Amino acid sequence: MLITSLFLAQHLFLSKRYLIALTLVLMLWVPFALDRLIQSWQSKETPAWLLPLVLSLMVIASLGGIFDFGYSKAYMRRAGDWLAANVPPSATLYSNDYQIMYYSQHFGNDIFQKVKEYNDPSILREGRWKNYDYVALRLDRKALVEKADVLQEIAPAPVQVFRNKRGDQVVIYKIAGTMEG
């Protein structure tokens, strides 16, 4: 738990894979707590409704592991994989999303410094995106409307667009006048 907490404090980011060990450690107390709850329920120390409620909540929580609720973020992985396969290592890439930067395999160990620099919204507003060969933007439906003028200035048509069912998308542009790749 200490290592996970230190990583979170240092990078202000946690991925699901970092939480697996923490979850396994915290799950050690579950069978003991359930055993205690069953014993106290059988001896009538706890209300009659408590054990069925706890068991129902456990079943409901486990359904998230079987069924996929919510909108998929697989489009971000596909966009990052596309960038890794199609953007030359010598080309410069700007992205406003950490996960896309990670999956693009373009930043190496500098990713944590770059993500702080690239999260500055003035890069788009002030036109500093022109310094890059490729621009990959993660946009939700609201951002598409707000940034429509900037997106038209970048390029009339993106090279690739990856989206989910909700309308969130990753739009990839190759900046005109940059190196061929």
Side-chain angles (χ1 to χ4, degrees):
M1 291 190 316
L2 179 64
I3 292 171
T4 303
S5 300
L6 288 173
F7 185 87
L8 174 63
Q10 184 179 13
H11 298 292
L12 299 175
F13 173 80
L14 278 181
S15 181
K16 289 180 184 177
R17 65 180 170 268
Y18 298 122
L19 297 175
I20 291 174
L22 178 64
T23 303
L24 291 173
V25 169
L26 294 176
M27 283 179 22
L28 286 174
W29 70 270
V30 171
F32 300 105
L34 279 176
D35 182 53
R36 174 74 177 113
L37 180 62
I38 291 169
Q39 287 176 1
S40 65
W41 184 73
Q42 288 173 340
S43 65
K44 309 285 189 220
E45 294 175 19
T46 60
W49 54 267
L50 187 59
L51 182 62
L53 175 68
V54 169
L55 293 176
S56 299
L57 291 174
M58 288 178 63
V59 168
I60 290 169
S62 68
L63 292 176
I66 300 170
F67 302 106
D68 194 18
F69 299 109
Y71 292 98
S72 173
K73 292 188 177 183
Y75 73 104
M76 292 171 37
R77 173 66 187 256
R78 289 193 314 271
D81 290 345
W82 186 91
L83 289 166
N86 294 290
V87 174
S90 58
T92 56
L93 170 65
Y94 168 76
S95 179
N96 63 345
D97 186 80
Y98 172 79
Q99 289 176 315
I100 296 167
M101 292 172 72
Y102 173 78
Y103 289 125
S104 73
Q105 300 175 8
H106 202 77
F107 297 93
N109 293 332
D110 297 333
I111 193 166
F112 294 111
Q113 291 80 19
K114 295 281 187 183
V115 78
K116 292 175 188 173
E117 175 187 334
Y118 286 16
N119 277 338
D120 183 7
S122 67
I123 291 176
L124 291 177
R125 272 195 318 262
E126 298 172 359
R128 288 188 277 155
W129 52 266
K130 295 175 185 172
N131 300 332
Y132 299 93
D133 298 317
Y134 288 86
V135 175
L137 300 174
R138 178 182 175 201
L139 304 167
D140 58 15
R141 290 174 291 165
K142 182 180 175 185
L144 281 170
V145 174
E146 291 174 354
K147 296 179 179 166
D149 54 335
V150 174
L151 296 177
Q152 280 299 320
E153 183 184 346
I154 291 175
V159 176
Q160 279 288 348
V161 178
F162 300 89
R163 55 176 60 93
N164 67 4
K165 292 178 184 176
R166 184 172 58 185
D168 302 329
Q169 54 187 276
V170 175
V171 185
I172 301 172
Y173 295 97
K174 184 173 186 327
I175 305 305
T178 59
M179 60 184 273
E180 291 298 317

